[in-house]
Amino acid sequence: MAQTEHFDVVIVGAGLSGVGAGVHLGKRCPEKSYVILENREAIGGTWDLFRYPGIRSDSDMFTLGYAFKPWTEQKAIADGPSIWNYVNETAREYGVDRHIRFKHKVTRAYWSSDQARWTVEAEHDGAVKRFTANFVLMAAGYYNYEQGYLPDWEGTESFKGEIIHPQHWPEEFDYAGKRVVIIGSGATAVTLAPAMTDKAAHVTMLQRSPTYMISMPAEDAAANWARRHLPQGFAYDLTRLRKILFQQFFFRLARSRPEKVKQRLLELIREQVGPDYDMETHFTPRYNPWEQRLCLVPDNDMFEAVRDGKVSIATDTIERFTESGLKLASGQELEADVIVTATGLNLRMLGGTEVIVDGEKVETGERYTYKGAMLSDVPNLAFVFGYTNASWTLRADLISQYVCRLINYLDEYDLASATPRLSGEPLEERPFADFSSGYFQRAAHLLPKQTTKAPWKQNQSYAHDIMDLRYGAIEDGVLEFKRAPAPPRAPAKEAREPVTA
């Protein structure tokens, strides 16, 4: 059996969250050893996996970027390769890359209260590698990297063209001169549609129902001015604060005055696509703004492509695939050479790792989330799950900071474990996220529950989380602390008669 390695902390995932967690540990817990176990062969997570045309952020990089490392590129809405470079540069700059074990697929983690430690199992080159740790931080993202979501359509086998899921885009795929139909209306579809007009004969975006879209300049003029005229760190912090405040203001406004926000969003789109376009059918969602995530459109590229006739939008449902394309429920037929299934993600918790506490398997859907970062009755384990209404990294940074605070607290008071415990009082349950998107609804049974009261409440407020995760008391009457179990006593030696000559 291979030797088990021990680290103070095991981090799962070397994407945006995992690399950030490594930096925070190095800064705040410099005496702690850690390892990052990464399933893939490269740093970057999402930004290494997705390679489809036009891949870019759906948040500005002043908030998707780390608080500790300024984003210095001209474009605030960055392309995938630029984000990949940023994450890799961060890993090298802070020495995080030296802690990463690639091609280590974490499959199982089990906690022993008798030993007050985790044992983490990972598959590597056909063998099982074992690591022990005092604390585990799951930073493996929130979706299945191996398989995207694909509905079960009738007749897919009859289609003579190519069917591609954006999560598995073929390298060097040539779509020049081809008729492309993109199924979906989320961020991926809205990115792909205008990007593929560079070579495709025509692009059609087929949607069951519209999604709210909002345009932003790819470059932030005020941010670029500040970077030229102010100290770099100050300019970045100032722009970051401005972006955060606007995100939070806009979200609160959308929730408090949905009709007003809805009308303004649609007015802005109409200005781009023209007064005669069928806005009601193709751009007016059935839900209120921010009940699902808004799609970001940099520099109006999607709207301009629609206005110029390079992109068509069909709002309908699929009856079946045909040899030459798609037959819709309305009877319309869409001819295609390439069908791109931008139909979403398969969510999963904890990177799909089987978690066991003292012999009992942890079903995440039956647990409650503590501060949106830990699970009820699970010791010394935290997970990163970002905001639905703002940039992922904002919350990832705060959770990593909280984990460092908690680890240091345990050390300071000579404690071995911290476990969130529910009290016996009645609880009013709520879903993990107040979000109606399909990928959340499909995974509702996997997501932990929340309540209406802190700390069992998943806040979607960066300001609130700063006060709670960065400055809130560690000892709050909810975390149960335990000291390390006493080592087993050596058996008493038998008394013997003295030997005399």
Side-chain angles (χ1 to χ4, degrees):
M1 182 180 291
Q3 183 180 359
T4 298
E5 294 183 76
H6 179 77
F7 295 90
D8 294 310
V9 182
V10 166
I11 299 170
V12 180
L16 195 62
S17 303
V19 169
V23 174
H24 286 293
L25 273 172
K27 285 172 169 285
R28 292 171 167 80
C29 306
E31 303 302 317
K32 296 297 182 184
S33 61
Y34 73 91
V35 66
I36 301 177
L37 304 179
E38 167 56 45
N39 180 28
R40 295 168 57 76
E41 300 179 7
I43 295 171
T46 292
W47 305 108
D48 181 68
L49 175 69
F50 284 96
R51 305 292 180 90
Y52 59 79
I55 173 68
R56 55 170 169 78
S57 64
D58 65 346
S59 302
D60 68 89
M61 286 305 299
F62 298 100
T63 54
L64 188 64
Y66 301 115
F68 53 80
K69 181 173 173 60
W71 174 257
T72 58
E73 300 291 329
Q74 284 291 111
K75 285 192 174 183
I77 310 302
D79 59 74
S82 296
I83 302 171
W84 184 90
N85 286 332
Y86 174 79
V87 178
N88 277 264
E89 184 180 277
T90 302
R92 292 191 301 269
E93 182 179 332
Y94 289 91
V96 174
D97 55 340
R98 298 193 299 269
H99 297 261
I100 302 173
R101 306 283 181 89
F102 293 107
K103 297 174 68 177
H104 279 67
K105 181 180 181 179
V106 175
T107 57
R108 192 167 180 253
Y110 48 95
W111 169 266
S112 167
S113 293
D114 291 338
Q115 297 177 329
R117 66 173 49 180
W118 285 98
T119 299
V120 178
E121 295 181 352
E123 295 176 356
H124 175 67
D125 289 342
V128 175
K129 301 289 185 179
R130 289 183 175 83
F131 304 82
T132 57
N134 304 102
F135 206 101
V136 171
L137 176 57
M138 294 288 183
Y142 68 112
Y143 65 91
N144 187 333
Y145 275 48
E146 284 75 42
Q147 186 62 57
Y149 174 66
L150 195 63
D152 185 18
W153 290 297
E154 183 181 349
T156 52
E157 70 286 346
S158 64
F159 179 58
K160 299 300 184 182
E162 296 188 69
I163 301 175
I164 301 172
H165 194 288
Q167 193 165 318
H168 310 283
W169 197 266
E171 190 173 355
E172 304 300 329
F173 176 67
D174 185 13
Y175 52 90
K178 296 184 178 181
R179 298 163 298 177
V180 178
V181 173
I182 302 169
I183 303 173
S185 60
T188 302
V190 171
T191 299
L192 273 165
M196 294 186 76
T197 60
D198 64 338
K199 298 177 183 177
H202 187 72
V203 178
T204 301
M205 189 177 84
L206 171 62
Q207 59 181 10
R208 286 183 304 173
S209 60
T211 299
Y212 284 106
M213 303 181 195
I214 185 169
S215 182
M216 286 180 61
E219 295 188 14
D220 187 310
N224 291 339
W225 180 93
R227 188 167 52 248
R228 290 192 301 269
H229 295 90
L230 300 172
Q232 185 184 80
F234 178 70
Y236 182 67
D237 291 345
L238 190 65
T239 301
R240 185 177 169 88
L241 177 61
R242 172 169 59 84
K243 295 287 189 179
I244 290 169
L245 290 175
F246 177 76
Q247 284 177 357
Q248 294 297 297
F249 166 76
F250 185 70
F251 176 75
R252 304 300 168 198
L253 182 64
R255 285 301 179 94
S256 62
R257 307 185 70 177
E259 193 58 34
K260 181 176 181 179
V261 171
K262 173 182 177 179
Q263 292 307 316
R264 183 54 183 157
L265 289 173
L266 297 181
E267 286 172 6
L268 292 171
I269 296 173
R270 187 179 292 281
E271 289 175 7
Q272 298 298 319
V273 299
D276 299 326
Y277 195 83
D278 187 356
M279 292 286 297
E280 183 65 31
T281 300
H282 301 306
F283 281 111
T284 306
R286 304 166 187 166
Y287 56 90
N288 287 327
W290 271 123
E291 288 180 4
Q292 297 182 21
R293 194 173 177 91
L294 268 69
C295 286
L296 185 60
V297 178
D299 293 333
N300 290 305
D301 63 357
M302 176 65 178
F303 309 136
E304 290 178 359
V306 171
R307 182 191 63 205
D308 296 343
K310 297 177 180 178
V311 172
S312 301
I313 300 178
T315 304
D316 208 334
T317 55
I318 298 171
E319 180 178 305
R320 62 172 287 115
F321 278 59
T322 65
E323 289 188 2
S324 58
L326 296 165
K327 183 179 180 182
L328 308 182
S330 63
Q332 181 185 0
E333 294 193 17
L334 295 178
E335 293 189 347
D337 303 301
V338 179
I339 295 176
V340 181
T341 56
T343 45
L345 308 168
N346 281 320
L347 264 64
R348 66 181 181 185
M349 289 295 297
L350 312 181
T353 304
E354 180 184 30
V355 176
I356 297 168
V357 174
D358 292 329
E360 180 185 353
K361 184 178 178 180
V362 174
E363 301 290 352
T364 53
E366 297 174 2
R367 303 295 172 126
Y368 291 83
T369 175
Y370 171 81
K371 295 181 181 286
M374 298 179 74
L375 296 172
S376 56
D377 301 324
V378 180
N380 288 23
L381 182 143
F383 64 94
V384 176
F385 203 107
Y387 293 113
T388 55
N389 66 346
S391 295
W392 179 274
T393 319
L394 292 176
R395 194 156 214 284
D397 269 344
L398 289 177
I399 290 171
S400 293
Q401 291 171 28
Y402 174 77
V403 166
C404 292
R405 291 181 64 217
L406 181 55
I407 289 171
N408 288 335
Y409 183 89
L410 294 176
D411 274 2
E412 182 179 356
Y413 291 97
D414 194 27
L415 299 167
S417 66
T419 309
R421 299 291 192 194
L422 284 159
S423 65
E425 65 183 64
L427 297 172
E428 187 177 350
E429 294 183 2
R430 289 286 187 271
F432 180 72
D434 181 16
F435 227 46
S436 61
S437 297
Y439 60 98
F440 270 93
Q441 300 304 312
R442 291 193 301 270
H445 63 291
L446 299 175
L447 300 174
K449 296 174 283 190
Q450 64 168 319
T451 75
T452 55
K453 294 182 180 180
W456 304 104
K457 186 178 179 182
Q458 168 83 338
N459 292 295
Q460 293 294 332
S461 167
Y462 183 62
H464 185 284
D465 284 339
I466 285 178
M467 299 308 297
D468 192 20
L469 295 170
R470 188 181 292 172
Y471 301 114
I474 295 292
E475 192 166 350
D476 59 357
V478 175
L479 281 183
E480 176 187 274
F481 298 99
K482 288 187 177 180
R483 298 192 183 279
R489 297 178 61 183
K493 294 182 178 179
E494 293 182 9
R496 294 190 178 183
E497 295 287 337
V499 177
T500 56

